[in-house]
Amino acid sequence: MEKTAQLEIEGRPYSLPIVEGTEDEKAIDVQRLRADTGYITLDPSYGNTGACVSTITYIDGDKGILRYRGYDIAELCERSTFMEVCFLLIYGELPTDEEFSRFKERVLAHSLIHEDMKSFFQSYPGHAHPMAILSAMVCSLSVYHPQLLKAEQTGEEREETISRLLSKVRVLAAFAYKRSVGEAFVYSRPELDYLANFLHMMFTTPMRTYEPDSVVRKALDVLFIIHADHEQNCSTSTVRMVGSSKANLFAAISAGICALWGPWHGGANQSVIEMLEEIHMAGGNYKKFIEKAKDKNDPFRLMGFGHRVYKNYDPRAEIIKKYCDQVLDHLGINDPTLEIAKGLEEAALTDQYFIERKLYPNVDFYSGIIYRALQIPTNMFTVMFALGRLPGWIAHWKEMIEEPGMRIARPRQVYMGATRRDYVPLAQRGSN
Ligand code: ACO
């Protein structure tokens, strides 16, 4: 028998269907509520709103579980690669040998951008934030591929759009970096794998060819796997929202990049390092910053702490912390911010304020320290996050666009403004 929830609206009973997920998540389906009763549900910031049914990523924030298509994040980090995870997220299954070769070939075939696009980069001031450049450039890709902008694409056209975007975004990110440090752009070497090619475009100069070592490559692979998806977060919901108007994929992803930029979302990785540096410069007294974070009259928040969904240790932070130690050890780097981060974490986890509110380190708390060890400048951290998140955004866009009966996303509101009033001409309004 279908399970239902009973609602009484001003004395009138109303029955709502219950939807149960494969991991026992339960939802009350309110899709017909307004049409049947005239009422809507009110949920600013969507803390209790399921915007879709999805088969991509499962999170249990209380237990600290994160799985992509059923596979545990820790196992994927240990045994898989970012490219394989891209395929898994976008197409739903781990690839066969043949599928994987074809996928890699398609992606690697598009690792150049139109020559004209280089002049765009040169028009930005040197201090331009690379996230601004990246979002503008991803949207600009649409100009060069008008054949891929159709709202109704064939399967082949969709594959073409996805592989071009996956590949070219690395070039755009690397060129944004080169522009910010005033170095010449370095062309892709299509014979290199996805991440090695990206690192080559970032760090090769006329003076030296960059060859990343295996520990660095593995750490970056893991960081990208960890960033790859996180179900209906702010940027992914933005991609779905924009994509629901049937805007093209480039436009939807560009919007997602802008959403990710904010310091309460992906921009937190930059803010964490800036905060740790500030604590270091102030003599390393992190306890003072804990007090600031607890003070309700102070807008300061402990960056890299807290999460809307995780009310337990973020499993991604646990994995990153391990790689953080490994990379720094391997490269022989003694970064004082790592010690400050560990001290801060320990102090926060034993502090009543953080315990009561279930505030734990999130994915961004340690990632910046690894990026810094890899010589990636602070303002590029969120760009790295965006590169990692790209397959997740694409997977959600694809899932949504392929859903039968898909409708444009269009929330409602409760209007609390002035009721109808008559216009008063300027001359009759008097003064304050
Ligand atoms: N430092 C101090 N206090 C905090 C922090 C923090 N980092 N995060 C939450 N709190 C407090 C809030 O002030 C609030 O306290 P109150 O109940 O006394 O008013 C309580 O904890 C609950 O916080 P909310 O703001 O309601 O939590 P929400 O789910 O809306 O926000 C968010 C989540 C934005 C991540 C928040 O924890 C935060 O700002 N963290 C710092 C920024 C950050 O690290 N963002 C990255 C998140 S991961 C990602 O997006 C990739």
Side-chain angles (χ1 to χ4, degrees):
M1 203 178 70
E2 193 188 60
K3 289 186 185 165
T4 55
Q6 306 309 316
L7 183 66
E8 191 180 290
I9 306 175
E10 300 187 42
R12 276 175 292 131
Y14 184 69
S15 182
L16 296 138
I18 287 181
V19 178
E20 286 181 284
T22 50
E23 293 282 355
D24 226 22
E25 283 177 302
K26 291 183 176 57
I28 298 169
D29 182 345
V30 296
Q31 286 181 78
R32 291 219 36 89
L33 184 66
R34 185 176 178 281
D36 291 349
T37 68
Y39 285 75
I40 61 166
T41 55
L42 181 63
D43 184 22
S45 78
Y46 311 128
N48 291 290
T49 295
C52 60
V53 168
S54 179
T55 60
I56 302 171
T57 288
Y58 172 66
I59 301 174
D60 183 330
D62 294 322
K63 294 193 186 130
I65 293 175
L66 169 62
R67 293 186 203 130
Y68 298 159
R69 304 279 190 189
Y71 297 100
D72 189 71
I73 188 69
E75 194 179 5
L76 289 172
C77 285
E78 202 182 312
R79 305 180 61 188
S80 185
T81 60
F82 177 63
M83 273 310 257
E84 201 180 36
V85 167
C86 287
F87 188 99
L88 172 69
L89 286 170
I90 297 171
Y91 300 108
E93 295 294 338
L94 288 169
T96 61
D97 232 11
E98 196 191 324
E99 286 169 336
F100 198 35
S101 304
R102 194 173 153 266
F103 176 63
K104 282 192 294 190
E105 242 169 59
R106 281 191 88 124
V107 171
L108 299 179
H110 297 300
S111 47
L112 292 171
I113 54 169
H114 196 289
E115 270 300 293
D116 290 357
M117 286 193 91
K118 276 168 48 185
S119 62
F120 290 178
F121 288 93
Q122 268 135 2
S123 318
Y124 286 104
H127 62 263
H129 198 290
M131 280 298 271
I133 302 182
L134 186 69
S135 69
M137 287 294 134
V138 166
C139 202
S140 305
L141 276 179
S142 61
V143 176
Y144 294 93
H145 303 289
Q147 78 284 13
L148 301 178
L149 306 187
K150 281 192 297 183
E152 305 304 332
Q153 294 185 315
T154 62
E156 183 54 31
E157 286 163 341
R158 193 162 294 149
E159 299 313 293
E160 179 77 8
T161 314
I162 290 172
S163 38
R164 279 185 191 271
L165 183 58
L166 268 176
S167 194
K168 288 174 194 290
V169 77
R170 294 166 307 164
V171 187
L172 301 176
F175 281 21
Y177 165 73
K178 287 294 196 192
R179 174 70 191 120
S180 72
V181 290
E183 285 178 10
F185 301 132
V186 171
Y187 285 86
S188 129
R189 279 171 53 198
E191 78 279 11
L192 295 178
D193 70 36
Y194 189 86
L195 285 182
N197 202 350
F198 168 62
L199 289 169
H200 154 75
M201 288 186 278
M202 286 273 290
F203 295 126
T204 288
T205 66
M207 312 297 285
R208 97 184 163 127
T209 303
Y210 181 82
E211 299 289 350
D213 75 20
S214 56
V215 174
V216 167
R217 282 252 303 266
K218 177 66 189 169
L220 199 57
D221 216 50
V222 165
L223 279 167
F224 276 29
I225 292 173
I226 272 172
H227 288 325
D229 193 41
H230 215 232
E231 49 118 304
Q232 312 307 320
N233 56 84
C234 175
S235 55
T236 304
S237 301
T238 301
V239 170
R240 278 184 175 261
M241 175 71 92
V242 175
S244 80
S245 74
K246 299 264 172 132
N248 62 77
L249 178 62
F250 303 107
I253 298 293
S254 168
I257 292 169
C258 291
L260 187 75
W261 192 1
W264 282 15
H265 191 14
N269 57 11
Q270 173 170 346
S271 309
V272 169
I273 280 289
E274 286 165 356
M275 174 186 79
L276 294 174
E277 271 168 359
E278 192 189 337
I279 298 175
H280 179 54
M281 299 298 278
N285 180 6
Y286 48 80
K287 294 202 172 112
K288 196 177 95 192
F289 286 80
I290 297 230
E291 292 313 309
K292 265 168 78 64
K294 287 158 53 176
D295 181 355
K296 290 290 169 205
N297 297 316
D298 190 326
F300 175 80
R301 282 188 167 195
L302 208 54
M303 299 314 286
F305 260 77
H307 199 275
R308 171 63 61 80
V309 178
Y310 290 120
K311 300 302 170 195
N312 199 328
Y313 210 98
D314 181 339
R316 304 169 299 172
E318 212 158 338
I319 297 167
I320 292 185
K321 191 177 174 185
K322 188 181 97 190
Y323 278 93
C324 199
D325 279 327
Q326 241 177 52
V327 168
L328 265 60
D329 261 9
H330 175 74
L331 298 175
I333 294 172
N334 182 10
D335 187 339
T337 58
L338 179 60
E339 287 321 305
I340 291 174
K342 285 183 174 170
L344 201 57
E345 177 187 337
E346 205 182 309
L349 292 183
T350 50
D351 188 293
Q352 216 41 41
Y353 174 97
F354 291 85
I355 294 170
E356 272 165 19
R357 289 167 181 77
K358 300 187 175 165
L359 300 170
Y360 292 87
N362 59 48
V363 67
D364 289 320
F365 195 62
Y366 286 104
S367 62
I369 299 176
I370 306 191
Y371 285 139
R372 199 149 81 144
L374 305 187
Q375 315 225 314
I376 289 166
T378 312
N379 66 359
M380 278 292 287
F381 290 178
T382 317
V383 168
M384 303 298 282
F385 194 155
L387 295 186
R389 182 55 55 88
L390 186 61
W393 288 332
I394 293 174
H396 282 273
W397 171 83
K398 184 170 176 293
E399 182 177 68
M400 180 193 65
I401 222 84
E402 290 175 354
E403 186 161 320
M406 170 227 150
R407 298 174 76 200
I408 189 167
R410 190 357 179 140
R412 295 263 175 181
Q413 63 164 17
V414 175
Y415 176 69
M416 289 285 192
T419 52
R420 195 204 173 285
R421 44 187 171 162
D422 291 326
Y423 177 79
V424 180
L426 184 58
Q428 293 171 24
R429 274 176 231 160
S431 56
N432 291 328

